[in-house]
Amino acid sequence: METNENQTYDQPKKTKEYIIIGVLAALLLGSIGYNFYQHQNNKSEMDLMEIDLKDTEQAKIILQNQLDSLTEQFELSRVDLEVKDSLLSKRDAEIFDKQKEIQNILNKSNVSESELKQARRMINALNADIARFKQEIAVLQQKNDSLIVVNDTLRYNSFKLGEKANIQKQKAEATEKKMRSTFSVSNYQITGLRVRNSGKEVETDKAKRIDKLRVSFDLDPNEFAESGEQEIYIAIYKPDGTLGKFTDASPGQLETWSLGSVEYSDKVAFDYTKGTKQNVTFDWEEYDFPKGTYKIDLYQNGLKIGQKSLSLR
Protein backbone atom coordinates (compact mmCIF):
# COMPACT_ATOMS: atom_id res chain seq x y z
CA MET A 1 0.00 0.00 0.00
CA GLU A 2 1.28 3.46 -0.86
CA THR A 3 2.02 5.93 1.88
CA ASN A 4 0.60 9.49 2.04
CA GLU A 5 4.03 10.80 1.13
CA ASN A 6 4.05 8.73 -2.07
CA GLN A 7 0.55 9.89 -2.92
CA THR A 8 1.59 13.51 -2.41
CA TYR A 9 4.69 12.97 -4.54
CA ASP A 10 2.56 11.48 -7.37
CA GLN A 11 0.31 14.55 -7.63
CA PRO A 12 2.62 16.62 -9.95
CA LYS A 13 3.16 13.55 -12.13
CA LYS A 14 -0.60 13.00 -12.48
CA THR A 15 -1.14 16.68 -13.25
CA LYS A 16 1.44 16.53 -16.07
CA GLU A 17 -0.37 13.51 -17.49
CA TYR A 18 -3.66 15.44 -17.54
CA ILE A 19 -1.99 18.36 -19.31
CA ILE A 20 -0.40 16.09 -21.93
CA ILE A 21 -3.73 14.36 -22.56
CA GLY A 22 -5.45 17.72 -22.89
CA VAL A 23 -2.88 19.07 -25.34
CA LEU A 24 -2.98 15.90 -27.47
CA ALA A 25 -6.78 16.04 -27.55
CA ALA A 26 -6.63 19.69 -28.61
CA LEU A 27 -4.15 18.92 -31.38
CA LEU A 28 -6.24 16.01 -32.61
CA LEU A 29 -9.39 18.11 -32.66
CA GLY A 30 -7.54 20.91 -34.42
CA SER A 31 -6.24 18.51 -37.05
CA ILE A 32 -9.72 17.10 -37.73
CA GLY A 33 -11.17 20.57 -37.86
CA TYR A 34 -8.48 21.78 -40.22
CA ASN A 35 -9.02 18.90 -42.65
CA PHE A 36 -12.78 19.43 -42.61
CA TYR A 37 -12.59 23.15 -43.20
CA GLN A 38 -9.90 22.71 -45.86
CA HIS A 39 -12.23 20.38 -47.74
CA GLN A 40 -15.07 22.87 -47.47
CA ASN A 41 -12.80 25.68 -48.68
CA ASN A 42 -11.68 23.74 -51.73
CA LYS A 43 -15.31 22.94 -52.62
CA SER A 44 -16.34 26.59 -52.27
CA GLU A 45 -13.44 27.77 -54.41
CA MET A 46 -14.43 25.30 -57.15
CA ASP A 47 -18.03 26.54 -57.04
CA LEU A 48 -16.95 30.18 -57.35
CA MET A 49 -14.61 29.39 -60.23
CA GLU A 50 -17.62 28.24 -62.27
CA ILE A 51 -19.31 31.64 -62.06
CA ASP A 52 -19.69 33.45 -65.39
CA LEU A 53 -18.22 36.85 -64.56
CA LYS A 54 -19.31 38.28 -67.94
CA ASP A 55 -22.87 38.17 -66.66
CA THR A 56 -22.11 40.82 -64.07
CA GLU A 57 -25.59 41.02 -62.54
CA GLN A 58 -25.92 37.28 -61.98
CA ALA A 59 -22.29 37.01 -60.78
CA LYS A 60 -22.91 39.90 -58.40
CA ILE A 61 -25.93 38.12 -56.90
CA ILE A 62 -24.01 34.84 -56.46
CA LEU A 63 -21.02 36.57 -54.87
CA GLN A 64 -23.29 38.58 -52.55
CA ASN A 65 -25.02 35.39 -51.43
CA GLN A 66 -21.63 33.78 -50.78
CA LEU A 67 -20.48 36.83 -48.80
CA ASP A 68 -23.70 36.82 -46.74
CA SER A 69 -23.24 33.11 -45.99
CA LEU A 70 -19.65 33.63 -44.87
CA THR A 71 -20.65 36.63 -42.80
CA GLU A 72 -23.32 34.58 -41.04
CA GLN A 73 -20.81 31.78 -40.33
CA PHE A 74 -18.36 34.32 -38.99
CA GLU A 75 -20.91 35.93 -36.68
CA LEU A 76 -21.99 32.54 -35.33
CA SER A 77 -18.36 31.67 -34.63
CA ARG A 78 -17.90 34.89 -32.72
CA VAL A 79 -21.01 34.22 -30.64
CA ASP A 80 -19.74 30.74 -29.72
CA LEU A 81 -16.31 32.06 -28.83
CA GLU A 82 -15.92 31.80 -25.05
CA VAL A 83 -12.15 32.21 -24.88
CA LYS A 84 -10.41 35.18 -26.45
CA ASP A 85 -6.76 35.90 -27.00
CA SER A 86 -4.69 38.44 -28.95
CA LEU A 87 -4.36 36.21 -32.05
CA LEU A 88 -8.13 35.72 -32.38
CA SER A 89 -8.74 39.42 -31.87
CA LYS A 90 -6.35 40.17 -34.75
CA ARG A 91 -8.07 37.57 -36.98
CA ASP A 92 -11.43 39.09 -36.08
CA ALA A 93 -10.33 42.56 -37.21
CA GLU A 94 -8.76 41.27 -40.44
CA ILE A 95 -11.88 39.33 -41.44
CA PHE A 96 -14.12 42.29 -40.68
CA ASP A 97 -11.97 44.57 -42.90
CA LYS A 98 -12.09 42.06 -45.78
CA GLN A 99 -15.87 41.83 -45.49
CA LYS A 100 -16.18 45.59 -45.77
CA GLU A 101 -13.85 45.74 -48.78
CA ILE A 102 -15.77 43.00 -50.63
CA GLN A 103 -19.10 44.59 -49.77
CA ASN A 104 -17.88 47.93 -51.12
CA ILE A 105 -17.14 46.29 -54.48
CA LEU A 106 -20.50 44.52 -54.63
CA ASN A 107 -22.33 47.72 -53.69
CA LYS A 108 -21.20 49.42 -56.89
CA SER A 109 -24.02 49.91 -59.39
CA ASN A 110 -21.78 49.48 -62.47
CA VAL A 111 -19.38 46.83 -61.23
CA SER A 112 -16.89 45.59 -63.82
CA GLU A 113 -15.84 42.05 -64.66
CA SER A 114 -12.35 42.71 -63.29
CA GLU A 115 -13.81 44.02 -60.02
CA LEU A 116 -16.02 40.93 -59.72
CA LYS A 117 -12.94 38.79 -60.33
CA GLN A 118 -11.21 40.64 -57.51
CA ALA A 119 -14.28 40.16 -55.29
CA ARG A 120 -14.34 36.44 -56.10
CA ARG A 121 -10.67 36.13 -55.22
CA MET A 122 -11.22 38.02 -51.95
CA ILE A 123 -14.26 35.86 -51.06
CA ASN A 124 -12.15 32.73 -51.54
CA ALA A 125 -9.51 34.26 -49.27
CA LEU A 126 -12.21 35.27 -46.77
CA ASN A 127 -13.59 31.74 -46.80
CA ALA A 128 -10.13 30.40 -45.93
CA ASP A 129 -9.69 33.03 -43.18
CA ILE A 130 -13.03 32.16 -41.57
CA ALA A 131 -12.24 28.45 -41.76
CA ARG A 132 -8.91 29.09 -40.05
CA PHE A 133 -10.66 31.29 -37.50
CA LYS A 134 -13.09 28.46 -36.67
CA GLN A 135 -10.23 25.99 -36.41
CA GLU A 136 -8.30 28.23 -34.03
CA ILE A 137 -11.42 28.70 -31.91
CA ALA A 138 -11.92 24.91 -31.74
CA VAL A 139 -8.30 24.29 -30.73
CA LEU A 140 -8.33 27.10 -28.17
CA GLN A 141 -11.63 25.93 -26.72
CA GLN A 142 -10.33 22.37 -26.45
CA LYS A 143 -7.21 23.59 -24.67
CA ASN A 144 -9.41 25.61 -22.35
CA ASP A 145 -11.55 22.54 -21.64
CA SER A 146 -8.39 20.55 -20.92
CA LEU A 147 -7.20 23.23 -18.51
CA ILE A 148 -10.59 23.14 -16.81
CA VAL A 149 -10.16 19.39 -16.31
CA VAL A 150 -6.64 19.94 -14.96
CA ASN A 151 -7.79 22.73 -12.64
CA ASP A 152 -10.71 20.66 -11.40
CA THR A 153 -8.34 17.76 -10.80
CA LEU A 154 -5.92 19.99 -8.94
CA ARG A 155 -8.73 21.38 -6.80
CA TYR A 156 -9.98 17.86 -6.08
CA ASN A 157 -6.48 16.62 -5.22
CA SER A 158 -5.94 19.69 -3.05
CA PHE A 159 -9.23 18.98 -1.28
CA LYS A 160 -8.32 15.32 -0.73
CA LEU A 161 -4.86 16.25 0.54
CA GLY A 162 -6.41 18.81 2.85
CA GLU A 163 -8.91 16.22 4.02
CA LYS A 164 -6.12 13.71 4.70
CA ALA A 165 -4.10 16.38 6.47
CA ASN A 166 -7.13 17.21 8.62
CA ILE A 167 -7.61 13.52 9.47
CA GLN A 168 -3.94 13.22 10.39
CA LYS A 169 -4.22 16.36 12.49
CA GLN A 170 -7.24 14.97 14.32
CA LYS A 171 -5.40 11.69 14.94
CA ALA A 172 -2.36 13.58 16.24
CA GLU A 173 -4.54 15.67 18.55
CA ALA A 174 -6.31 12.54 19.82
CA THR A 175 -2.95 10.86 20.42
CA GLU A 176 -1.61 13.91 22.25
CA LYS A 177 -4.75 14.05 24.41
CA LYS A 178 -4.38 10.36 25.24
CA MET A 179 -0.72 10.79 26.15
CA ARG A 180 -1.46 13.74 28.41
CA SER A 181 -4.28 11.86 30.15
CA THR A 182 -1.98 8.90 30.92
CA PHE A 183 -1.22 8.57 34.62
CA SER A 184 2.20 8.68 36.20
CA VAL A 185 2.76 6.35 39.14
CA SER A 186 4.55 6.94 42.44
CA ASN A 187 5.02 4.96 45.69
CA TYR A 188 4.79 1.71 43.73
CA GLN A 189 5.17 -1.23 46.14
CA ILE A 190 4.80 -5.03 46.04
CA THR A 191 4.49 -6.66 49.46
CA GLY A 192 4.40 -10.32 50.44
CA LEU A 193 1.78 -10.99 53.15
CA ARG A 194 1.05 -13.87 55.47
CA VAL A 195 -2.48 -13.99 56.88
CA ARG A 196 -2.71 -15.35 60.42
CA ASN A 197 -5.71 -17.22 61.79
CA SER A 198 -6.80 -14.05 63.50
CA GLY A 199 -6.93 -12.33 60.13
CA LYS A 200 -3.94 -10.12 60.84
CA GLU A 201 -1.63 -9.57 57.88
CA VAL A 202 2.14 -9.79 58.40
CA GLU A 203 4.79 -8.80 55.84
CA THR A 204 7.23 -11.52 54.77
CA ASP A 205 9.57 -12.36 51.89
CA LYS A 206 9.63 -16.12 52.61
CA ALA A 207 7.93 -17.89 49.75
CA LYS A 208 6.58 -20.82 51.77
CA ARG A 209 4.87 -18.50 54.25
CA ILE A 210 3.24 -16.09 51.77
CA ASP A 211 -0.51 -16.19 51.26
CA LYS A 212 -0.78 -13.27 48.85
CA LEU A 213 1.03 -10.41 47.17
CA ARG A 214 -0.30 -6.90 47.61
CA VAL A 215 0.30 -4.36 44.85
CA SER A 216 -0.09 -0.69 45.78
CA PHE A 217 0.68 2.55 43.94
CA ASP A 218 -0.37 6.19 43.82
CA LEU A 219 -1.68 7.90 40.71
CA ASP A 220 -0.24 11.39 40.58
CA PRO A 221 -2.67 14.29 39.96
CA ASN A 222 -3.48 14.67 36.25
CA GLU A 223 -5.47 17.66 34.96
CA PHE A 224 -5.95 15.99 31.56
CA ALA A 225 -7.44 12.74 32.85
CA GLU A 226 -11.23 12.98 32.91
CA SER A 227 -13.25 12.09 35.99
CA GLY A 228 -15.03 8.77 35.88
CA GLU A 229 -14.14 5.12 35.45
CA GLN A 230 -10.55 4.43 34.47
CA GLU A 231 -8.70 1.16 33.83
CA ILE A 232 -5.14 0.00 34.39
CA TYR A 233 -3.88 -3.29 32.96
CA ILE A 234 -1.77 -5.59 35.14
CA ALA A 235 0.81 -8.08 33.85
CA ILE A 236 2.22 -10.40 36.53
CA TYR A 237 5.20 -12.59 35.64
CA LYS A 238 6.17 -15.63 37.74
CA PRO A 239 9.79 -16.56 38.48
CA ASP A 240 9.75 -18.91 35.43
CA GLY A 241 8.69 -16.00 33.17
CA THR A 242 5.14 -17.20 32.54
CA LEU A 243 2.14 -14.93 32.97
CA GLY A 244 0.37 -15.24 36.30
CA LYS A 245 -3.43 -15.34 36.42
CA PHE A 246 -5.85 -14.12 39.06
CA THR A 247 -8.84 -16.11 40.25
CA ASP A 248 -11.93 -14.79 38.43
CA ALA A 249 -9.68 -12.40 36.46
CA SER A 250 -10.16 -11.14 32.90
CA PRO A 251 -6.84 -11.70 31.12
CA GLY A 252 -6.27 -10.66 27.52
CA GLN A 253 -3.98 -8.88 25.09
CA LEU A 254 -3.12 -5.22 24.91
CA GLU A 255 -1.66 -3.19 22.03
CA THR A 256 1.20 -0.96 23.16
CA TRP A 257 3.04 1.89 21.44
CA SER A 258 6.53 0.42 21.65
CA LEU A 259 6.21 -3.25 22.65
CA GLY A 260 3.55 -4.38 20.22
CA SER A 261 0.92 -6.77 21.60
CA VAL A 262 1.43 -7.89 25.21
CA GLU A 263 -0.57 -10.19 27.44
CA TYR A 264 -1.98 -8.99 30.72
CA SER A 265 -3.21 -10.88 33.78
CA ASP A 266 -6.12 -8.65 34.67
CA LYS A 267 -7.36 -5.09 34.58
CA VAL A 268 -8.24 -2.91 37.54
CA ALA A 269 -11.17 -0.52 37.19
CA PHE A 270 -11.60 2.46 39.53
CA ASP A 271 -13.35 5.83 39.73
CA TYR A 272 -11.03 8.77 39.26
CA THR A 273 -11.55 12.40 40.22
CA LYS A 274 -9.85 14.79 37.81
CA GLY A 275 -6.71 16.48 39.16
CA THR A 276 -6.49 14.44 42.37
CA LYS A 277 -3.94 12.00 43.76
CA GLN A 278 -5.39 8.54 44.17
CA ASN A 279 -4.20 5.24 45.60
CA VAL A 280 -4.87 1.93 43.84
CA THR A 281 -4.43 -1.39 45.65
CA PHE A 282 -5.13 -5.00 44.71
CA ASP A 283 -4.10 -8.45 45.98
CA TRP A 284 -2.90 -11.56 44.16
CA GLU A 285 -3.78 -14.62 46.23
CA GLU A 286 -4.86 -18.25 46.05
CA TYR A 287 -1.57 -19.21 44.51
CA ASP A 288 1.31 -21.38 45.74
CA PHE A 289 4.17 -18.87 45.55
CA PRO A 290 7.52 -20.56 44.75
CA LYS A 291 10.88 -18.96 45.41
CA GLY A 292 12.19 -16.47 42.88
CA THR A 293 11.60 -13.02 41.49
CA TYR A 294 8.11 -11.77 40.60
CA LYS A 295 7.69 -8.85 38.23
CA ILE A 296 4.52 -6.79 37.89
CA ASP A 297 4.02 -4.29 35.03
CA LEU A 298 1.32 -1.63 34.82
CA TYR A 299 -0.14 -0.34 31.51
CA GLN A 300 -2.49 2.45 30.55
CA ASN A 301 -3.32 3.92 27.12
CA GLY A 302 -0.84 1.52 25.49
CA LEU A 303 2.04 2.77 27.65
CA LYS A 304 3.90 1.04 30.46
CA ILE A 305 3.44 3.32 33.47
CA GLY A 306 4.99 1.17 36.15
CA GLN A 307 7.33 -1.79 36.69
CA LYS A 308 8.28 -3.39 39.96
CA SER A 309 9.73 -6.70 41.15
CA LEU A 310 9.86 -8.68 44.40
CA SER A 311 12.21 -11.54 45.26
CA LEU A 312 10.97 -14.31 47.55
CA ARG A 313 13.42 -16.57 49.37
Side-chain angles (χ1 to χ4, degrees), residues 218-275:
D218 291 333
L219 300 176
D220 296 330
N222 189 327
E223 295 293 336
F224 298 98
E226 297 296 330
S227 297
E229 185 175 286
Q230 299 280 358
E231 291 182 334
I232 289 181
Y233 296 86
I234 314 298
I236 298 177
Y237 297 96
K238 302 176 186 178
D240 61 3
T242 60
L243 190 72
K245 301 290 179 68
F246 292 82
T247 302
D248 299 326
S250 300
Q253 289 191 327
L254 172 71
E255 289 298 324
T256 67
W257 290 94
S258 59
L259 302 175
S261 179
V262 299
E263 291 186 307
Y264 61 87
S265 305
D266 199 3
K267 55 185 176 181
V268 178
F270 57 93
D271 286 327
Y272 180 73
T273 302
K274 184 176 182 178

Side-chain angles (χ1 to χ4, degrees), residues 37-47 127:
Y37 289 124
Q38 190 67 27
H39 173 73
Q40 292 297 102
N41 292 341
N42 293 338
K43 184 177 182 299
S44 297
E45 290 177 8
M46 290 174 62
D47 292 343
N127 189 26

Side-chain angles (χ1 to χ4, degrees), residues 41 81 83 112 149 176 192 196 209 227-228 239 273 286 312-313:
N41 292 341
L81 179 59
V83 182
S112 66
V149 172
E176 182 180 2
R196 292 179 175 175
R209 303 185 65 182
S227 297
T273 302
E286 297 183 10
L312 300 181
R313 56 189 177 86

Side-chain angles (χ1 to χ4, degrees), residues 49-296:
M49 291 299 294
E50 296 174 359
I51 297 175
D52 183 5
L53 297 180
K54 296 183 184 296
D55 186 353
T56 56
E57 289 303 319
Q58 183 63 24
K60 184 177 177 180
I61 293 173
I62 295 174
L63 291 175
Q64 183 65 59
N65 289 339
Q66 184 68 15
L67 178 61
D68 291 342
S69 176
L70 290 175
T71 300
E72 183 179 359
Q73 292 181 39
F74 178 58
E75 291 302 323
L76 288 174
S77 299
R78 296 177 73 222
V79 170
D80 293 338
L81 179 59
E82 297 177 358
V83 182
K84 296 183 182 296
D85 68 358
S86 58
L87 176 60
L88 289 180
S89 297
K90 182 180 178 182
R91 296 268 193 238
D92 193 338
E94 291 174 351
I95 290 172
F96 184 74
D97 289 341
K98 283 185 179 180
Q99 285 176 312
K100 285 178 59 179
E101 190 174 351
I102 296 169
Q103 191 62 64
N104 288 336
I105 295 174
L106 297 179
N107 285 341
K108 290 182 178 182
S109 57
N110 296 317
V111 63
S112 66
E113 183 179 343
S114 62
E115 287 174 325
L116 290 176
K117 186 175 182 180
Q118 180 185 359
R120 183 178 64 182
R121 184 172 61 252
M122 294 179 66
I123 287 175
N124 283 331
L126 180 64
N127 189 26
D129 289 343
I130 292 176
R132 185 163 56 249
F133 185 75
K134 290 181 178 179
Q135 177 198 352
E136 289 169 348
I137 290 175
V139 172
L140 188 60
Q141 190 66 53
Q142 181 63 28
K143 288 181 179 178
N144 182 62
D145 292 343
S146 298
L147 288 176
I148 290 174
V149 172
V150 171
N151 289 334
D152 287 345
T153 303
L154 288 174
R155 280 193 292 269
Y156 175 77
N157 288 340
S158 177
F159 169 76
K160 295 302 291 183
L161 287 174
E163 190 178 51
K164 290 178 181 178
N166 188 49
I167 293 174
Q168 292 300 320
K169 180 181 178 182
Q170 291 176 356
K171 287 182 178 179
E173 290 175 348
T175 299
E176 182 180 2
K177 182 179 180 181
K178 181 177 287 188
M179 292 297 184
R180 288 182 175 182
S181 65
T182 301
F183 292 111
S184 60
V185 172
S186 59
N187 298 323
Y188 185 13
Q189 297 178 359
I190 303 175
T191 307
L193 296 174
R194 178 186 177 190
V195 182
R196 292 179 175 175
N197 293 333
S198 62
K200 183 179 180 179
E201 297 176 341
V202 180
E203 291 187 17
T204 181
D205 61 354
K206 293 183 179 180
K208 65 181 180 179
R209 303 185 65 182
I210 285 181
D211 296 309
K212 60 184 175 182
L213 291 181
R214 175 161 295 163
V215 179
S216 175
F217 53 87
D218 291 333
L219 300 176
D220 296 330
N222 189 327
E223 295 293 336
F224 298 98
E226 297 296 330
S227 297
E229 185 175 286
Q230 299 280 358
E231 291 182 334
I232 289 181
Y233 296 86
I234 314 298
I236 298 177
Y237 297 96
K238 302 176 186 178
D240 61 3
T242 60
L243 190 72
K245 301 290 179 68
F246 292 82
T247 302
D248 299 326
S250 300
Q253 289 191 327
L254 172 71
E255 289 298 324
T256 67
W257 290 94
S258 59
L259 302 175
S261 179
V262 299
E263 291 186 307
Y264 61 87
S265 305
D266 199 3
K267 55 185 176 181
V268 178
F270 57 93
D271 286 327
Y272 180 73
T273 302
K274 184 176 182 178
T276 63
K277 185 172 185 177
Q278 190 164 331
N279 179 261
V280 177
T281 301
F282 64 90
D283 294 339
W284 180 26
E285 53 189 337
E286 297 183 10
Y287 175 70
D288 184 15
F289 294 94
K291 295 180 180 180
T293 299
Y294 294 79
K295 186 180 74 170
I296 302 179

